[in-house]
Amino acid sequence: MDKCAEELARCQSNLTELSRLLQSLEILQRTQSAPNFTDMQTNCVELSKKEKRLNRRWRTKSVGKDPKFQLQVPLSASMSPIRLHSSNPNLCAELVDFQPPVSRLTDSVDCASDYIKLQEEFCTIAQKVHSLLKSSFNTVAIEKEKIKQILCDQEQSDQSTQINSLRKSLSQALSQNAELRTRLNRIHSESVLTEQVVSVNIISTDEAVEQMGIPLTQQASNESRLSMSESVSEFFDAQEVLLSASSSENEGSDDESYVSDVSDNISEDNASVTDNVSRQMANGDFAGCSFRNGRRTCLPAPCPDTSNINLWNILRNNIGKDLSKVSMPVELNEPLNTLQRMCEELEYSELLDKAAETEDPFERMVLVAAFAISGYSSTYYRAGSKPFNPLLGETYECIREDKGFCFFSEQVSHHPPISACHCESKNFTFWQDVRWKNKFWGKSMEILPVGTVNLMIPRFGDQYEWNKVTTCVHNILSGRRWIEHYGEITIRNTKSSACLCKLTFVKGNYWSSNVNEVQGFVMDQEGKVIHRLFGKWHEGLYCGVPPSAKCIWRPGSMPTDYELYYGFTRFAIELNELCPELKDVLPRTDARFRPDQRHLEEGNLEMASSDKQRIEDLQRTRRKCNDENNIKQEPRFFKKVVDANHRERWVSNNTYWELRKNPGFINMEPTVNLW
């Protein structure tokens, strides 16, 4: 609302300026634009009294009082030197033979020029007023939606009394349970009847919760994980509960664990892999104790100062070239690489979990669209640096028990650079292969992705695919850098033509307030629009028509001092964390072992620069040796396939998790020593 008030204040200032311009236009119209009748009388026949009255009306009426008419006056520079009022067209015909003196003609031309300038300034400020009012309207609509959400939350909080009463009853039941178990143990130890078997049903924690109608995860969502763990540990017969620690989703789930079989609709290979992954996650086979309650909340060192780097000297010989082939100073990088940035697109994977529970295909498409847009939100504060370019054969793995997915990626091609990834969950399977093209245009740099993103929701047999939009980094050489995404995304369900989604990332311009704006719609197979979508990719997505639209997605809050730490989100901060228990299970090609990236994260620029140069030289030598010996380095965990449309795709060969489990990467010799 402060932003709205500020914009309205600016709007008021512009309206005052418009009023001043309007008065100037009226004065100029009255005093300068009318012809000099003294000169006309020396060259024309005396006008009739009726015509004189007409002329007097013309001299006194002001068009400038009507701003609508004022904006419609032609702005042509070739207009007649003598400006005649449009309400008296006959006057022009009557004075067609009138030839003013040269000095009068010059004054009229200057007058016309001043009049045009005032009109142009009037139109410019009017456009600003329109933009400010439009922005204020959108701000008020969004704030109204937030207030509605707050009121809804307050209504839900009114039920807290009943919930507390139920929790108290549960606590009493558990206390009685513990006391009963103690009595039974004492009776059993004192009994002399060894052949008698005492069998008593003890109510477990889960059964007590189910009988009282309270989902356990719902209760946990209102309490801290630590306090819940302590309360559960007090009862020796209470079953251990797996709680979600996701920072971006606070809603409880009806299922306490991620142990579930994959739907029969998934392919046999994917089903076996996903089943093994979910089972290993549940049994703790992955990385032992790698899933801690908390992850790091800050990077080891802030980002370096890049003000002393002369980018023009580096880039001036590379205008129009692919910057992926240009070696940049390590200070311009961020301590993540492209493989990890692909994983960052899954930060809001709970949207896909929700889509897997939504029966309506159109609402399901809305959630998929929100997920596609959410992948861009983390880039808003990231214009100051670029990710590391992965080496051929470099990999990255991310297992998130809190979000319920397992992810791995690999650089499958060096020139052209192609990155592929695969992610599995009990609710969805996600994969993509993207080729990035970078173009430097002097003041800006464009990043053009080529490839498709794929998503499968086994429960409904859906398989979605969509493209990515162009990313542009502005003010590369001077000024404050900022990122813009523009283009169109089309989301299709290849297994059904029931609905289609189109999203447009609007390209901003100087006059408009639609920077970062996204517009879209979901329509049925007959072309009828079912849902309308709008919002901004860094603020949120809404479904419906303002001001009654429903918020589908909103990004999470940024960490403290994010400007000092590369503009990373909370999720991005966790991606390059290397836990001690992971060191013995990850492949040596994992990006977290890359020394130049690790040194940059720790703030050691000298070592980071030295290792970056050494690693790049190693890759050139390796590539040259392979070319001379006609050796082609093949990807280890992905394979190339050709789809029905004769397009080449990179998909998982379903070996990563099996090799990780048996014999384990620690016992395998790396095929290539990348660093």
Side-chain angles (χ1 to χ4, degrees):
M1 298 307 295
D2 292 340
K3 175 185 174 184
C4 184
E6 180 182 352
E7 290 177 343
L8 290 176
R10 290 165 54 195
C11 185
Q12 178 63 33
S13 176
N14 288 334
L15 288 173
T16 304
E17 181 69 13
L18 282 178
S19 178
R20 185 189 65 79
L21 288 174
L22 192 57
Q23 294 177 2
S24 300
L25 286 171
E26 288 180 358
I27 295 172
L28 189 61
Q29 180 73 17
R30 291 177 179 177
T31 60
Q32 300 295 333
S33 64
N36 191 324
F37 284 95
T38 303
D39 296 337
M40 291 170 59
Q41 287 174 354
T42 62
N43 296 281
C44 299
V45 180
E46 183 179 359
L47 298 174
S48 64
K49 292 183 179 181
K50 181 179 180 180
E51 292 170 336
K52 289 181 179 179
R53 286 195 301 271
L54 190 61
N55 285 326
R56 282 197 297 272
R57 269 201 318 272
W58 175 80
R59 291 173 63 85
T60 58
K61 187 177 180 181
S62 175
V63 181
K65 294 180 180 179
D66 188 352
K68 294 184 178 178
F69 179 82
Q70 184 68 28
L71 293 177
Q72 295 173 356
V73 175
L75 302 179
S76 172
S78 62
M79 63 191 299
S80 173
I82 303 176
R83 296 186 54 82
L84 301 176
H85 202 286
S86 61
S87 65
N88 192 357
N90 296 329
L91 188 57
C92 295
E94 293 166 357
L95 303 178
V96 71
D97 295 328
F98 172 67
Q99 298 294 333
V102 175
S103 61
R104 178 65 60 187
L105 184 62
T106 303
D107 293 339
S108 300
V109 171
D110 294 338
C111 175
S113 177
D114 294 339
Y115 195 85
I116 291 172
K117 289 180 180 178
L118 284 174
Q119 284 182 323
E120 290 176 344
E121 187 174 357
F122 188 95
C123 293
T124 300
I125 298 178
Q127 288 176 347
K128 290 182 179 179
V129 170
H130 178 268
S131 298
L132 288 171
L133 289 175
K134 180 181 177 182
S135 178
S136 299
F137 175 80
N138 291 335
T139 302
V140 171
I142 293 174
E143 292 300 320
K144 180 180 178 182
E145 182 65 26
K146 291 181 180 179
I147 292 174
K148 288 173 62 179
Q149 185 64 35
I150 292 174
L151 293 176
C152 181
D153 294 339
Q154 289 178 349
E155 291 178 359
Q156 294 178 355
S157 64
D158 293 338
Q159 303 175 358
S160 59
T161 304
Q162 182 181 1
I163 295 176
N164 291 333
S165 175
L166 292 174
R167 286 178 180 168
K168 185 177 180 180
S169 300
L170 174 61
S171 177
Q172 293 176 353
L174 293 175
S175 300
Q176 293 175 359
N177 184 21
E179 183 181 357
L180 181 58
R181 175 60 65 91
T182 303
R183 289 183 179 181
L184 287 174
N185 289 336
R186 186 173 64 253
I187 293 173
H188 181 71
S189 61
E190 294 175 356
S191 176
V192 294
L193 302 176
T194 57
E195 295 181 357
Q196 183 177 0
V197 178
V198 179
S199 176
V200 180
N201 251 347
I202 306 299
I203 302 177
S204 67
T205 303
D206 286 352
E207 292 172 344
V209 171
E210 290 178 0
Q211 291 178 9
M212 302 189 68
I214 309 174
L216 191 56
T217 51
Q218 182 178 352
Q219 178 187 7
S221 66
N222 297 319
E223 298 179 359
S224 68
R225 179 169 181 165
L226 180 61
S227 61
M228 187 64 188
S229 300
E230 290 175 349
S231 63
V232 171
S233 63
E234 293 177 1
F235 308 101
F236 61 89
D237 61 335
Q239 181 178 347
E240 185 175 354
V241 181
L242 176 63
L243 302 178
S244 172
S246 173
S247 60
S248 58
E249 183 180 13
N250 295 323
E251 296 179 0
S253 171
D254 292 336
D255 189 7
E256 285 85 16
S257 70
Y258 287 108
V259 184
S260 68
D261 294 328
V262 183
S263 172
D264 296 336
N265 294 329
I266 199 170
S267 65
E268 182 177 354
D269 292 338
N270 284 338
S272 61
V273 174
T274 309
D275 186 59
N276 289 334
V277 168
S278 59
R279 186 178 299 110
Q280 291 169 6
M281 288 175 64
N283 295 334
D285 293 341
F286 280 138
C289 301
S290 62
F291 306 122
R292 301 170 301 157
N293 291 343
R295 299 173 184 267
R296 69 180 184 185
T297 58
C298 184
L299 294 177
C303 56
D305 181 17
T306 59
S307 58
N308 59 341
I309 298 178
N310 192 334
L311 273 178
W312 176 243
N313 291 336
I314 300 172
L315 300 175
R316 62 183 176 181
N317 297 324
N318 298 288
I319 294 179
K321 294 183 179 179
D322 186 351
L323 289 186
S324 64
K325 300 180 181 179
V326 180
S327 180
M328 297 286 186
V330 73
E331 291 91 340
L332 298 179
N333 285 12
E334 63 183 23
L336 290 177
N337 69 11
T338 304
L339 301 177
Q340 293 166 313
R341 288 287 291 268
M342 295 174 78
C343 181
E344 196 173 353
E345 296 178 22
L346 291 159
E347 179 175 1
Y348 299 99
S349 61
E350 62 269 13
L351 290 168
L352 301 182
D353 294 329
K354 190 173 181 180
E357 300 172 355
T358 303
E359 298 288 342
D360 189 321
F362 300 104
E363 294 182 3
R364 199 156 59 242
M365 179 66 83
V366 168
L367 291 168
V368 173
F371 172 78
I373 293 173
S374 70
Y376 294 92
S377 63
S378 63
T379 64
Y380 184 67
Y381 300 101
R382 305 275 275 279
S385 56
K386 60 177 286 292
F388 279 84
N389 295 327
L391 306 175
L392 179 61
E394 187 171 350
T395 62
Y396 176 70
E397 167 199 306
C398 183
I399 303 176
R400 294 297 297 246
E401 188 183 53
D402 55 339
K403 291 181 176 292
F405 69 72
C406 300
F407 171 95
F408 69 93
S409 55
E410 182 179 9
Q411 188 73 3
V412 296
S413 175
H414 183 57
H415 285 306
I418 301 177
S419 306
C421 71
H422 187 88
C423 177
E424 294 179 2
S425 164
K426 69 165 187 174
N427 293 322
F428 64 87
T429 302
F430 172 89
W431 71 98
Q432 64 171 318
D433 59 286
V434 182
R435 171 182 174 181
W436 306 92
K437 290 183 178 180
N438 302 316
K439 293 290 184 180
F440 172 57
W441 300 116
K443 293 184 179 180
S444 62
M445 180 180 70
E446 274 190 332
I447 304 171
L448 300 93
V450 180
T452 56
V453 185
N454 302 271
L455 169 69
M456 182 166 57
I457 300 182
R459 179 183 174 187
F460 301 103
D462 291 341
Q463 183 167 326
Y464 302 92
E465 67 175 24
W466 64 88
N467 60 295
K468 292 189 171 184
V469 296
T470 300
T471 298
C472 184
V473 183
H474 295 275
N475 298 335
I476 290 291
L477 300 178
S478 61
R480 184 178 181 274
R481 295 188 196 129
W482 59 283
I483 280 184
E484 182 180 21
H485 305 288
Y486 47 81
E488 186 176 276
I489 292 178
T490 302
I491 306 178
R492 292 184 174 86
N493 184 355
T494 60
K495 300 297 184 181
S496 171
S497 59
C499 59
L500 178 73
C501 179
K502 286 192 176 182
L503 301 170
T504 300
F505 285 66
V506 181
K507 188 173 184 179
N509 55 62
Y510 182 78
W511 296 111
S512 67
S513 61
N514 57 359
V515 178
N516 302 340
E517 187 172 327
V518 180
Q519 301 171 355
F521 55 86
V522 176
M523 61 182 181
D524 59 17
Q525 56 188 351
E526 297 178 355
K528 179 182 177 182
V529 175
I530 307 299
H531 295 294
R532 294 190 180 275
L533 306 172
F534 69 95
K536 294 191 175 184
W537 52 261
H538 72 294
E539 291 182 353
L541 182 69
Y542 296 84
C543 180
V545 179
S548 60
K550 177 183 177 182
C551 181
I552 304 300
W553 160 81
R554 186 181 291 119
S557 61
M558 295 295 292
T560 306
D561 297 330
Y562 62 88
E563 304 96 335
L564 302 178
Y565 295 93
Y566 305 92
F568 280 7
T569 63
R570 301 177 190 275
F571 187 75
I573 288 175
E574 303 167 355
L575 290 176
N576 201 49
E577 184 179 11
L578 183 58
C579 308
E581 55 269 17
L582 283 176
K583 291 183 179 180
D584 294 337
V585 295
L586 293 175
R588 307 314 298 175
T589 55
D590 195 279
R592 279 165 285 195
F593 292 119
R594 183 167 175 166
D596 52 351
Q597 184 172 308
R598 182 62 61 185
H599 287 314
L600 176 63
E601 181 182 273
E602 295 170 351
N604 191 340
L605 292 181
E606 184 178 353
M607 289 296 297
S609 180
S610 174
D611 278 333
K612 181 175 183 292
Q613 184 64 42
R614 177 180 59 81
I615 289 172
E616 290 175 350
D617 290 341
L618 274 176
Q619 181 170 233
R620 295 188 191 99
T621 302
R622 189 164 55 248
R623 182 178 178 84
K624 182 179 179 181
C625 180
N626 290 342
D627 291 342
E628 290 176 352
N629 296 283
N630 198 22
I631 299 174
K632 185 177 180 181
Q633 183 176 335
E634 295 291 340
R636 192 168 186 179
F637 306 112
F638 289 86
K639 61 183 179 181
K640 184 189 296 185
V641 297
V642 179
D643 62 12
N645 297 322
H646 306 288
R647 295 175 299 184
E648 290 186 350
R649 303 282 187 91
W650 290 91
V651 298
S652 169
N653 59 14
N654 298 327
T655 62
Y656 185 89
W657 300 117
E658 288 298 326
L659 290 174
R660 190 188 196 281
K661 180 181 178 182
N662 186 20
F665 293 120
I666 190 63
N667 299 320
M668 297 178 61
E669 291 292 333
T671 56
V672 179
N673 183 17
L674 298 181
W675 32 73

